[in-house]
Amino acid sequence: MQRLPVENWYDTFNGAAGDLYPGRYTREYTSLLVDIAGRVRELAECKQSLIVAHNYQFPELQEVAAEVGDSLGLSRYVARQDSPRVDFCGVWFMGETAKTIVGAKTKVYMPDKPGCSLVESIDHARVRRWKQACPDGIVISYVNTDAATKALSDYICTSRNAARVLDHAATNNPGKRILFLPDKFLGSVSIAQSEVVDGSLVDLYDGCCHVHAKIGETALEEAFDRHPHAELLIHPECGCASHCMAKVMQGNSPYQKAFFLSTEGMIRHAESSPAREFIVGTEMGMVYRLRREIPEKVFHPVSPDAVCEYMKMNTLEKLLGSLENDRIEVTVEADTADKARTAIDRMLSIH
Ligand code: 13P
Ligand code: SF4
């Protein structure tokens, strides 16, 4: 994302995010943010820190970051840059994934220690029991898992490639049971999209993201009523995902205009689509990123409730605190990191 000059922050934040975060960007608060951003940039340079921010972060964090993106894309970016220090603005599992990939050569810090409801839905003992019951079974874990769960897994997947990873695992392990965890909505959409998976061989864990689970059928129908010409960009974690997929498959109007996409997939789709208007079926922060990257098109949040309070625990003030005091360093125990890295690498080798 091209950096926005700080003198434009007030107008741009109010123009592109005023409806997302009503009342947040007053003149007084925005000028405080501009001051803090100056100190953040100075310290980041002095400490040779690379700041990265997830698509769901507040606009000011997206603007001070060297790179904005999805969780896996950011980890891969960090690995390529080879910086001695990273300040990762996202949730804890993202910091852990970055640390797992970069290893000892890079220190990873975070402004806070935000959780994630998908990660919290996982019971490690339950995963171990499944592995004991199915000793030749295959465990596929979504990237939204802690390092310990990744270490128990054969493959990691993201919302971009879940169907492809399922296809690969099923093709290379014919007849074996697969445990897909933790998101049941992403799991069922991926099974429907897969070309080879026998759904009766897949055990879906029953976790979900509380932010996306709330995006149900009614929210979609109301959004289509408000914006009848818009395309729908929908994250497969949404509670309405299976219903929406069924309608897409039946060719129901207006669902021919629905596209299941990861957060980065939303950017690429919106750039290349002939449509001018889009409903964004994911967390609010993504709407700011889309409006900034593609100002000539119009983006509507699917619902004003689509806010992840974990993501929003990170603030520019806390990022400054992290750079000043090296407060929260992400560490992953070596044996766990080695096993988790094997599962991530197996995913990365699938094209
Ligand atoms: P991405 O992997 O698309 O960045 O999604 C992360 C996330 O938390 C989705 O809710
Ligand atoms: Fe986790 Fe959901 Fe927040 Fe994403 S939006 S970080 S899955 S709680």
Side-chain angles (χ1 to χ4, degrees):
M1 197 159 84
Q2 190 109 53
R3 261 198 189 159
L4 179 71
V6 286
E7 50 279 19
N8 296 352
W9 274 25
Y10 177 78
D11 287 337
T12 304
F13 288 1
N14 281 291
D19 59 329
L20 310 178
Y21 309 113
R24 182 176 176 82
Y25 297 109
T26 59
R27 280 213 183 270
E28 197 185 7
Y29 186 54
T30 311
S31 92
L32 177 68
L33 289 175
V34 166
D35 288 348
I36 299 174
R39 281 151 64 206
V40 162
R41 283 179 178 148
E42 265 167 42
L43 266 179
E45 201 179 317
C46 161
K47 293 203 162 178
Q48 291 181 276
S49 177
L50 190 65
I51 300 171
V52 297
H54 187 263
N55 289 320
Y56 297 164
Q57 293 295 287
F58 279 124
E60 56 275 23
L61 288 169
Q62 297 195 23
E63 295 299 343
V64 294
E67 181 77 357
V68 183
D70 66 358
S71 53
L72 193 76
L74 289 178
S75 292
R76 292 165 86 172
Y77 171 80
V78 161
R80 283 197 306 276
Q81 299 304 309
D82 231 5
S83 169
R85 171 181 176 132
V86 167
D87 280 84
F88 201 117
C89 304
V91 292
W92 192 252
F93 79 80
M94 296 180 179
E96 273 192 346
T97 308
K99 181 65 191 170
T100 301
I101 293 180
V102 296
K105 66 182 193 311
T106 302
K107 282 180 177 278
V108 178
Y109 291 90
M110 296 187 71
D112 204 330
K113 244 187 140 176
C116 162
S117 46
L118 271 175
V119 174
E120 277 143 36
S121 67
I122 302 162
D123 173 0
H124 296 147
R126 195 171 144 197
V127 180
R128 285 201 191 88
R129 280 199 299 278
W130 186 93
K131 284 168 71 97
Q132 270 160 12
C134 304
D136 65 350
I138 305 295
V139 178
I140 303 179
S141 292
Y142 188 27
V143 69
N144 293 35
T145 47
D146 56 334
T149 302
K150 289 188 178 75
L152 290 170
S153 310
D154 297 288
Y155 294 90
I156 303 306
C157 71
T158 72
S159 46
R160 277 197 234 181
N161 63 14
R164 226 165 39 244
V165 173
L166 261 173
D167 276 352
H168 177 94
T171 307
N172 287 282
N173 302 277
K176 291 189 183 166
R177 291 207 74 75
I178 294 175
L179 173 63
F180 185 97
L181 79 156
D183 190 277
K184 59 183 172 185
F185 299 118
L186 173 67
S188 33
V189 166
S190 307
I191 292 170
Q193 287 172 329
S194 160
E195 284 156 22
V196 298
V197 167
D198 171 357
S200 70
L201 286 177
V202 184
D203 296 317
L204 282 184
Y205 203 86
D206 53 2
C208 64
C209 154
H210 71 296
V211 179
H212 288 87
K214 280 188 301 200
I215 304 176
E217 296 160 34
T218 317
L220 285 199
E221 273 160 23
E222 286 174 1
F224 271 134
D225 285 347
R226 283 194 303 277
H227 312 292
H229 304 296
E231 282 189 349
L232 171 66
L233 311 176
I234 179 165
H235 197 285
E237 281 175 27
C238 289
C240 54
S242 310
H243 159 89
C244 186
M245 177 57 90
K247 297 241 179 169
V248 170
M249 284 175 160
Q250 290 153 8
N252 277 13
S253 170
Y255 287 85
Q256 305 97 313
K257 291 186 293 169
F259 297 87
F260 286 85
L261 297 159
S262 66
T263 54
E264 278 308 296
M266 290 182 184
I267 297 271
R268 286 198 298 273
H269 178 89
E271 271 168 350
S272 60
S273 165
R276 313 292 311 154
E277 207 184 337
F278 301 86
I279 298 160
V280 184
T282 190
E283 210 271 352
M284 209 66 115
M286 190 65 212
V287 179
Y288 177 75
R289 168 104 197 268
L290 285 158
R291 288 175 178 166
R292 273 279 281 119
E293 297 266 351
I294 316 170
E296 66 283 11
K297 297 193 178 181
V298 179
F299 299 94
H300 308 286
V302 71
S303 138
D305 300 332
V307 180
C308 174
E309 60 275 41
Y310 294 113
M311 284 281 178
K312 268 47 191 195
M313 282 167 68
N314 294 320
T315 61
L316 196 60
E317 294 88 329
K318 288 183 195 171
L319 174 60
L320 177 62
S322 172
L323 282 156
E324 283 171 343
N325 305 313
D326 308 335
R327 281 185 317 126
I328 305 171
E329 184 177 352
V330 182
T331 54
V332 181
E333 199 259 319
D335 182 48
T336 305
D338 287 345
K339 290 182 181 146
R341 199 177 307 110
T342 304
I344 295 171
D345 287 346
R346 209 171 273 141
M347 166 187 77
L348 295 176
S349 69
I350 300 171
H351 297 293

